[in-house]
Amino acid sequence: MWIIGVIIVLVAIIIMLILFNMKIHKEINNYQNINQKINGLNVLQDFMTTAGDSISVDEKIKKINQILIQEYDIKYSTIVEFNGTEYVIKASNVEEKHWDNLRSLHNEEIFRDSITTATPKYITVDQEDQRLPYQKSEFGRAKAAMFFPLYIENVYIGYWIIESGIPHAFDDIDTTILEVVKDNILSVFRIVNYQNIVESLTREDYYSELKSGEYLFNEGRKVIDKYTNSTICMMKITNLEQINKDFNRETGNQVVIDMCDYIKDNLSSEYIFVRYMGPKFVIAFSGAEVDGVTRFILDMKSAVENLEVEMVEDENSKKNKKEKKVAKIKLNVVLTTYYKGTALEKILKKQEEYLDNAPDTENDINNI
């Protein structure tokens, strides 16, 4: 009888151990899942931080690719963008001699269905002496690859491919994590898309030879954000339209040229001067307080308004042979403090609205 009792006790102990092990296993899985989520959040935070950095779009995508390689221990990672006309490698840690092949993967039969159906594709070799179908001259570099087509709102924008030098390297990888990574890449592409547009829109004004207003939101912001706070000055030639009517448009253009030449000659190279829009111009005094630039603005405004711009003769003025007239500039100026990392576009919008709604006769310096 005692043997039966011992057996019962042993069975009970075994059952308890099994239940305990199951509980421990579940807790370990939960812990791993929490760790994965935390790691995913950390990577996402790194992505978002990079997206907000004051660097170019191309630099951001390269930095994001480097984060992927480091955080997920990926051997090779390449992000290729389709810009509507051609495929461009935006980031890759593969030797550049292989880039022609990597930017042509859309032509490979093995990836065409993946692009068409917007589904990932996993390929691998079984033996070391084999090569992946898309490889031409790079015999020994990659033995396994995962291909992810990239779509934003059903619009195809390129692909992301990760590679390993080990056969079957991605057999047991959690594809849901990679899908999250892919979604994060797309999120950053969405964020930087506006910046990309702004960078491509920046132009140089023909008459003033100044950068257009878009310059402030990319290259200009990099300079401004080196400082904790700066002063943004927007000024408007309030009588430019009247000069165009009373004289002619050529004289109005000369007014812009003469004013900008004077300001450029007297403005420090560390400050940014752009033609914002039409009769409005912006000077970003990087790292300067409002009180520190007010005296300069007062002197500059006085000097500009004392300029005498001779009427530029056109066919009408030559026919009428009127005596030469001179145009005088009238400026309305508004100053605002900009703090690093805040919405520069909102400050400029507020300044623009103020100047546009002010009476044409207002001719002052205002702090808002």
Side-chain angles (χ1 to χ4, degrees), residues 75-76 78 94-95 97-105 107-111 123-146 161-167:
K75 179 66 174 177
Y76 301 110
T78 301
V94 178
E95 288 184 90
K97 64 183 180 181
H98 302 308
W99 284 13
D100 282 342
N101 187 29
L102 288 170
R103 69 166 63 94
S104 303
L105 297 184
N107 292 324
E108 297 292 334
E109 186 67 35
I110 197 165
F111 295 130
I123 56 175
T124 186
V125 298
D126 293 319
Q127 300 174 4
E128 288 287 347
D129 60 349
Q130 296 175 323
R131 73 170 71 185
L132 295 173
Y134 65 87
Q135 293 184 307
K136 311 303 180 191
S137 59
E138 44 182 337
F139 183 75
R141 185 179 65 81
K143 301 298 180 183
M146 288 200 73
I161 183 169
I162 59 173
E163 301 168 291
S164 173
I166 302 171

Side-chain angles (χ1 to χ4, degrees), residues 24-77:
I24 293 295
H25 182 70
K26 184 178 180 181
E27 288 180 354
I28 289 172
N29 283 339
N30 287 338
Y31 176 76
Q32 289 175 338
N33 288 335
I34 291 171
N35 258 0
Q36 285 180 351
K37 289 177 181 178
I38 291 173
N39 186 52
L41 287 172
N42 288 338
V43 173
L44 179 58
Q45 180 61 48
D46 288 342
F47 279 12
M48 296 301 102
T49 300
T50 300
D53 283 348
S54 296
I55 55 178
S56 70
V57 169
D58 287 343
E59 289 173 312
K60 287 179 181 179
I61 296 174
K62 288 175 184 175
K63 190 173 178 180
I64 286 165
N65 198 51
Q66 196 57 41
I67 292 170
L68 294 174
I69 293 165
Q70 291 173 352
E71 295 295 332
Y72 294 102
D73 195 24
I74 296 170
K75 179 66 174 177
Y76 301 110
S77 176

Side-chain angles (χ1 to χ4, degrees), residues 229-259:
N229 55 278
S230 302
T231 297
I232 306 299
C233 166
M234 183 179 288
M235 50 193 171
K236 178 181 180 181
I237 304 176
T238 57
N239 62 335
L240 183 60
E241 186 176 348
Q242 195 61 43
I243 289 171
N244 289 336
K245 290 179 181 177
D246 293 345
F247 296 81
N248 50 46
R249 186 164 292 275
E250 288 74 16
T251 303
N253 292 335
Q254 192 61 46
V255 160
V256 170
I257 293 169
D258 287 2
M259 183 192 80

Side-chain angles (χ1 to χ4, degrees), residues 79-224:
I79 299 173
V80 181
E81 181 187 38
F82 177 60
N83 61 18
T85 57
E86 62 180 345
Y87 285 80
V88 180
I89 290 188
K90 305 300 289 184
S92 179
N93 65 329
V94 178
E95 288 184 90
E96 197 166 343
K97 64 183 180 181
H98 302 308
W99 284 13
D100 282 342
N101 187 29
L102 288 170
R103 69 166 63 94
S104 303
L105 297 184
H106 59 285
N107 292 324
E108 297 292 334
E109 186 67 35
I110 197 165
F111 295 130
R112 284 179 185 169
D113 284 345
S114 176
I115 293 173
T116 303
T117 59
T119 55
K121 180 74 175 181
Y122 174 39
I123 56 175
T124 186
V125 298
D126 293 319
Q127 300 174 4
E128 288 287 347
D129 60 349
Q130 296 175 323
R131 73 170 71 185
L132 295 173
Y134 65 87
Q135 293 184 307
K136 311 303 180 191
S137 59
E138 44 182 337
F139 183 75
R141 185 179 65 81
K143 301 298 180 183
M146 288 200 73
F147 179 90
F148 296 87
L150 302 176
Y151 281 80
I152 294 179
E153 297 177 357
N154 297 321
V155 177
Y156 173 63
I157 65 162
Y159 51 83
W160 171 45
I161 183 169
I162 59 173
E163 301 168 291
S164 173
I166 302 171
H168 296 278
F170 303 125
D171 284 4
D172 300 319
I173 196 167
D174 188 347
T175 55
T176 57
I177 292 177
L178 290 178
E179 282 292 329
V180 171
V181 173
K182 184 197 74 173
D183 289 341
N184 289 342
I185 293 173
L186 291 173
S187 295
V188 173
F189 263 104
R190 288 188 187 95
I191 292 170
V192 301
N193 187 48
Y194 170 73
Q195 182 184 345
N196 206 9
I197 293 171
V198 169
E199 287 180 0
S200 65
L201 286 176
T202 301
R203 298 286 186 270
E204 186 172 283
D205 180 57
Y206 178 78
Y207 297 105
S208 66
E209 296 183 350
L210 299 174
K211 298 290 186 183
S212 60
E214 290 81 11
Y215 180 81
L216 289 169
F217 301 110
N218 46 82
E219 294 300 318
R221 189 188 285 262
K222 293 178 191 177
V223 178
I224 302 169

